[in-house]
Amino acid sequence: MGETGQREHAFFVASVLWTALAVARMEGKPISSAALLITLGFSAYGFALKHVFVLVPLLIEGCMMARLRRAYRPIRFETLGLAAAAVLYTMALVLFAQDFFSRIVPMVMVAYSNFGPVMQRAPSRRLSFILGTTSFAIIPFIMALLAWDKRSLTLGLLVTLTAMLLAIWLQMKGWRYHMLAAQGLSLMLVVSIGAKMVAARRWVVATLAALGLALLSHQAIYKPINRVLLTKGQPVFPT
């Protein structure tokens, strides 16, 4: 499977927009109609592509509930729109894609579980493999702690990154493209934290952020490009 045009790209965009909107809601900032419509449009599409993707809005809503408490309002324009999109999507599947449930899903359940880098390993080593392939995500968490970055958007994106990691672990496949959204968000967080440290003239933490950015870039950018070059553009390369 190639690493372009994956569902994880849409998932990344939807997750960042949804998180930014939720942070703006919690801080009581004015939100334009255009921002609401754009976020809803991307989210309705991005979160519908895989069932595990709904972990992002679920965790974000949980954080909003914990922070706002009595001021929390679950019924909002974006939540109603997302729920309506989910209902329409389900109805469309039932009405127009019955073969999906009767034929495609059973075939996938039989065949798909036998593929992927994880399935090439003993059951006792599969969890450690998944955790190892997602170890890159520890970098933004460490950087946020070292920088003591308590900005609402940073904290919200860390929650979103946690949801992305849970989605990877639940799928338990180990395909490289499953990491795309989490890698992109990790890069975004490290760049944001590093820029804040440069502005604050905290050069030691800024240098560490640069090193973290180099490590993430090597895994998320250099390695995929190098792999394509080595395989001469081979379209199917799972790991």
Side-chain angles (χ1 to χ4, degrees):
M1 181 67 72
E3 294 181 17
T4 58
Q6 295 293 345
R7 289 164 289 183
E8 278 69 16
H9 294 106
F11 176 43
F12 168 74
V13 175
S15 298
V16 172
L17 289 176
W18 188 270
T19 305
L21 177 59
V23 169
R25 290 285 197 194
M26 285 188 286
E27 294 185 340
K29 294 181 178 179
I31 302 168
S32 67
S33 299
L36 284 172
L37 291 172
I38 291 171
T39 300
L40 178 58
F42 274 103
S43 299
Y45 170 69
F47 295 144
L49 293 173
K50 285 186 182 180
H51 61 286
V52 291
F53 289 173
V54 299
L55 285 170
V56 167
L58 289 178
L59 259 65
I60 291 296
E61 286 299 305
C63 289
M64 290 184 69
M65 186 185 303
R67 178 174 174 177
L68 298 177
R69 299 187 180 181
R70 292 185 178 181
Y72 172 68
R73 297 292 182 268
I75 301 177
R76 308 186 303 276
F77 175 84
E78 63 271 21
T79 55
L80 287 175
L82 198 62
V87 171
L88 291 174
Y89 182 69
T90 303
M91 291 175 59
L93 281 176
V94 174
L95 294 174
F96 305 112
Q98 296 183 11
D99 285 348
F100 175 78
F101 295 102
S102 61
R103 297 183 180 181
I104 304 300
V105 171
M107 285 192 295
V108 169
M109 292 177 65
V110 172
Y112 190 64
S113 61
N114 295 319
F115 294 93
V118 169
M119 305 312 297
Q120 301 170 13
R121 289 162 173 79
S124 59
R125 299 185 59 186
R126 291 172 185 172
L127 180 59
S128 61
F129 174 78
I130 287 290
L131 293 176
T133 57
T134 55
S135 59
F136 64 85
I138 196 173
I139 295 176
F141 284 98
I142 292 176
M143 291 311 308
L145 185 61
L146 291 175
W148 203 241
D149 191 343
K150 297 188 289 184
R151 290 177 294 178
S152 297
L153 184 58
T154 299
L155 297 177
L157 290 175
L158 288 173
V159 172
T160 298
L161 179 57
T162 301
M164 289 177 173
L165 293 173
L166 288 173
I168 295 170
W169 298 336
L170 287 173
Q171 290 177 90
M172 205 66 176
K173 300 301 297 181
W175 300 106
R176 183 179 294 277
Y177 71 89
H178 285 180
M179 321 291 172
L180 289 174
Q183 287 177 335
L185 188 54
S186 295
L187 283 165
M188 177 185 290
L189 279 163
V190 171
V191 169
S192 174
I193 295 169
K196 185 177 189 296
M197 292 300 97
V198 170
R201 298 182 180 274
R202 295 178 59 183
W203 302 117
V204 174
V205 182
T207 301
L208 292 175
L211 292 174
L213 180 62
L215 290 172
L216 286 170
S217 298
H218 179 267
Q219 182 168 6
I221 300 174
Y222 170 76
K223 287 180 69 175
I225 293 176
N226 186 56
R227 192 175 295 274
V228 169
L229 293 175
L230 290 175
T231 58
K232 298 180 180 179
Q234 180 179 334
V236 179
F237 203 91
T239 60

